[in-house]
Amino acid sequence: MDELLTVADFEAPARAALDPVHYDYFAGGARDEITLAANESAFARIRLRPRILRGRGTPELATAVLGAPASMPILVAPTAFHRLAHPDAERATARAVASAGTVLIAAMLSTVAIEDIAAEARKVAVDPVLWFQLYLQRDLGFTEAVVRRAESAGVRALVVTADSPALGHHERNDRHGFHDLPAGMRCENLRELRAGEPGHVRQVDLSPELSWRHVERLRSLTDLPILLKGVLHPEDARIAADAGIDGIVVSNHGGRQLDTAMASIEALPDVVDAVAGRLPVLLDGGIRRGTDVVKALAYGAAAVAVGRPVVWGLTVGGEAGVTRVLEILRDELAHTLMLCGCGSPAEVSRDLLPAGPRW
Ligand code: HOC
């Protein structure tokens, strides 16, 4: 893998290794994939305004997110179905992320059970930080059963995906007729939750009836911190803060839900301003470079999360591939901080971004 110098370099070999149906599932976005592309291109349009001669030395990357220690402000976003990418699946991802000392947001639709993901992470780290992504359900019993499993596995926060009253429309999947996991694979966190459908993706009941009421119910079910993922509108961020939510993830689901939705980085500043420091704001969508991470931090993100690059790393090299992707991002982040005159993520502020029209 030494010839792979950037996280973008991982996509071509991953594509070559994957069944084209599964490559398209991971790579694709909703409809015309305008938001998918915008997540990356919006970062490229932002220019940094570095400081010089500040004598900060080699940057220290360690941080804390919601009280959880992380070796860098780069977390791993929830992405489903890792067994499509590599036979070691989420086990390999869990070990790589725990070894890197950062937070894994395990997907509800994982092909390895949350208990096994936690056990793998513990093989390589004393106290790995695992969060769990959850689709809210109308059926509180179903939600409660999944939450209890996550709690018993030692998960330290729930990340509720709130942007999915219905599944985004992926024409790549439609063209391949891909709407199910292949025989022999299942969503291990869903098994035994609804009679007759052991681990089937159909068990997830995405519904336009979901509302803040369901978030309140979840709040009453668990003492775990709850982050809300999929926030783009500042008013929703304010409502979340008033509802006692513990953190926000600015996200458009990797361009996989509403096409032509704004890029995550475009949404970030207004969300940060709306919550005015009442709760941490994270961002996912389009992070491919250390400079992207610094731009998100400069707009006020506490941390970012990466999705597809981790899947490409997993495909290409299993655990070692994920490790390498995280290493590349870590090195780029350290280098960018140094070139900006910052000694740590905490020293990054909007001052690094020139004033004027943003987008
Ligand atoms: C084939 C069914 O959040 C995604 C996931 C939802 C997965 C359901 C796919 O891929 O965006």
Side-chain angles (χ1 to χ4, degrees), residues 11-229:
E11 182 164 352
R15 181 176 195 163
L18 282 167
D19 178 325
V21 177
H22 302 152
Y23 169 76
D24 273 339
Y25 163 71
F26 288 122
R31 302 288 182 186
D32 291 315
E33 303 187 340
I34 287 168
T35 297
L36 174 70
N39 273 346
E40 290 184 41
S41 60
F43 274 113
R45 284 201 302 274
I46 301 168
R47 299 287 178 268
L48 288 162
R49 184 174 62 175
R51 300 297 307 274
I52 57 170
L53 295 173
R54 300 218 294 178
R56 293 293 200 270
T58 305
E60 170 54 60
L61 301 189
T63 188
V65 193
L66 274 178
S71 62
M72 57 182 170
I74 303 171
L75 282 43
V76 171
T79 49
F81 311 155
H82 285 193
R83 245 184 95 191
L84 296 177
H86 193 276
D88 293 344
E90 288 86 356
R91 292 176 196 276
T93 313
R95 290 193 301 271
V97 179
S99 303
T102 192
V103 178
L104 171 62
I105 310 173
M108 177 163 147
L109 299 182
S110 58
T111 47
V112 170
I114 186 63
E115 297 84 351
D116 298 329
I117 291 175
E120 287 302 312
R122 279 191 209 105
K123 281 183 187 166
V124 297
V126 182
D127 201 11
V129 181
L130 204 57
W131 296 354
F132 185 74
Q133 175 256 349
L134 188 70
Y135 283 104
L136 277 181
Q137 304 289 287
R138 284 177 294 183
D139 175 351
L140 196 61
F142 182 99
T143 302
E144 182 163 10
V146 182
V147 168
R148 294 293 169 247
R149 273 183 71 179
E151 286 174 340
S152 319
V155 155
R156 296 213 220 156
L158 299 174
V159 180
V160 171
T161 297
D163 58 12
S164 305
L167 206 57
H169 200 94
H170 296 204
E171 282 146 20
R172 295 202 210 200
N173 290 350
D174 290 350
R175 290 201 173 96
H176 292 300
F178 178 65
H179 301 292
D180 269 339
L181 282 172
M185 280 187 213
R186 56 185 192 170
C187 300
E188 294 293 341
N189 297 322
L190 306 184
R191 61 175 200 230
E192 291 136 31
L193 285 185
R194 266 182 199 140
E197 298 209 79
H200 198 288
V201 123
R202 271 196 309 266
Q203 285 172 273
V204 181
D205 168 37
L206 301 179
S207 165
E209 286 166 32
L210 290 172
S211 70
W212 289 101
R213 204 165 40 89
H214 296 86
V215 177
E216 267 165 43
R217 287 193 194 155
L218 176 66
R219 178 70 293 167
S220 67
L221 271 185
T222 178
D223 292 331
L224 287 177
I226 297 175
L227 295 95
L228 216 55
K229 175 173 170 295

